[in-house]
Amino acid sequence: MADYRHLAKLFAGRWIPGPKVEDGMRFANYLNGKGITTILNYLGEGFKETKDMDHTFEVYDEILKGLRNSINYQISIKPTQIGIPDYPELAASYYDKLVEEAGRYGIFVWVDMEESNTVDATIDLYLRKIDRPNTGLCIQSYLKRSFDDVKNLVEKGGRIRLVKGAYNEAESIAYKERSETTKNFSKIMDYLFEHENYFMVATHDLNLVNEAIEKNRKYNRNFHIAMLNGIRNKEVQRLGLHGARVALYVPFGEAWMSYAVRRLKETSNLRLVMRSLLQSQKI
Ligand SMILES: Cc1cc2nc3c(=O)[nH]c(=O)nc-3n(C[C@H](O)[C@H](O)[C@H](O)COP(=O)(O)OP(=O)(O)OC[C@H]3O[C@@H](n4cnc5c(N)ncnc54)[C@H](O)[C@@H]3O)c2cc1C
């Protein structure tokens, strides 16, 4: 599968509702009607031009105004969309404004985690508003540093969205065996159940999802199970109907190709891709 772009075109429609803000918001409303929290993400990353960062801010601003006072919506921002790592002051000013505005409207703001060379700058960005109850940070269990990062952040009052991690990182800093990443996910999840009230378990790994549900029988936490739109939507709906708090991460925007290619590269073999293509995820 040397060229993922042709396959990506086939798949993009099931992962991404469309290129426009209205597409994202329309789909978000649809999911909300089904009791699913929507995490809206405007696609784009690795920006070098400040005009792209300005545009990203304007799009999120439009979303926040559009979702004003709605419940069950969150947004998730990629730090390299708003100036990390080259323009940290610009990123800080955009982040601060978005968090303040979202706070006024009762909307939760997640900070996505990207490649490892941006982790420190991303944590610094998140720390700026860690005291705001409507903010949270994504942490990747494939990074060896993540357990310590989570401890530090939770001690400071932060909220965590736990994922396995989507980038190709060096063995010196990241677990390369899937089983090690999963083990670290469980370890961090244990810590979150013990020490946090609100957090997000973001995975399609049903063993981990079941583990979280089982753990919650003891801890009774206010946590969300979250998946990416289009992968296991029916499962998300089923979990919601059985009483779990569920969320779908819904990316939208013009930059759908690189997102679709990354999701395809994650699927470990063609069989999985084809099976996923054949199974409808419409809910
Ligand atoms: C809500 C949410 C937010 C995320 N935010 C970030 C972020 O900010 N930074 C970051 O690095 N990563 C993020 N990710 C991606 C994450 O890091 C993983 O790359 C992705 O979730 C796949 O890992 P997994 O936990 O589902 O486990 P895996 O072990 O990869 O997958 C478990 C099973 O899920 C199914 N599956 C997984 N992916 C696919 C797919 N593409 N197509 C079809 N089936 C699939 C397969 O059956 C697979 O066996 C996010 C994921 C979610 C759910």
Side-chain angles (χ1 to χ4, degrees), residues 100-280:
E100 292 301 331
E101 190 175 2
R104 279 199 297 279
Y105 302 152
I107 295 170
F108 198 97
V109 179
W110 288 104
V111 180
D112 278 11
M113 191 60 85
E114 303 180 72
E115 277 157 295
S116 57
N117 60 356
T118 62
V119 172
D120 286 325
T122 299
I123 290 178
D124 286 347
L125 187 72
Y126 177 62
L127 285 171
R128 298 178 64 78
K129 297 280 176 191
I130 195 168
D131 58 329
R132 301 304 155 98
N134 68 318
T135 62
L137 175 65
C138 178
I139 292 283
Q140 302 151 324
S141 75
Y142 65 13
L143 290 185
K144 294 176 183 171
R145 60 179 281 175
S146 287
F147 184 78
D148 291 337
D149 284 339
V150 166
K151 267 183 83 177
N152 286 332
L153 290 162
V154 168
E155 277 163 18
K156 291 188 168 84
R159 282 147 298 271
I160 305 294
R161 177 175 87 215
L162 185 59
V163 303
K164 286 190 185 173
Y167 301 86
N168 188 15
E169 300 293 354
E171 196 171 354
S172 52
I173 56 162
Y175 299 113
K176 297 307 263 184
E177 290 296 327
R178 181 161 292 216
S179 59
E180 291 177 306
T181 299
T182 304
K183 198 167 148 206
N184 200 36
F185 193 111
S186 284
K187 178 176 162 189
I188 297 173
M189 193 163 74
D190 280 355
Y191 181 85
L192 291 172
F193 271 105
E194 280 164 26
H195 295 91
E196 275 274 48
N197 182 36
Y198 178 66
F199 52 93
M200 189 170 265
V201 173
T203 181
H204 315 95
D205 183 332
L206 299 185
N207 291 332
L208 288 171
V209 167
N210 290 335
E211 204 176 301
I213 290 170
E214 203 45 52
K215 261 191 200 325
N216 207 37
R217 291 190 212 288
K218 174 171 171 198
Y219 290 100
N220 200 18
R221 298 302 193 195
N222 185 24
F223 79 111
H224 261 120
I225 296 166
M227 298 194 188
L228 302 174
N229 179 43
I231 296 184
R232 288 202 153 138
N233 288 14
K234 283 188 191 299
E235 183 63 23
V236 168
Q237 189 177 36
R238 192 190 67 78
L239 289 164
L241 291 172
H242 283 80
R245 287 186 81 196
V246 288
L248 274 177
Y249 181 104
V250 179
F252 72 92
E254 306 85 7
W256 51 268
M257 177 58 89
S258 58
Y259 179 84
V261 167
R262 185 157 69 243
R263 293 280 82 82
L264 275 178
K265 284 185 173 170
E266 270 170 4
T267 53
S268 45
N269 58 47
L270 191 60
R271 196 162 49 87
L272 184 65
V273 175
M274 296 322 290
R275 198 187 65 199
S276 174
L277 187 62
L278 292 173
Q279 287 170 346
S280 164

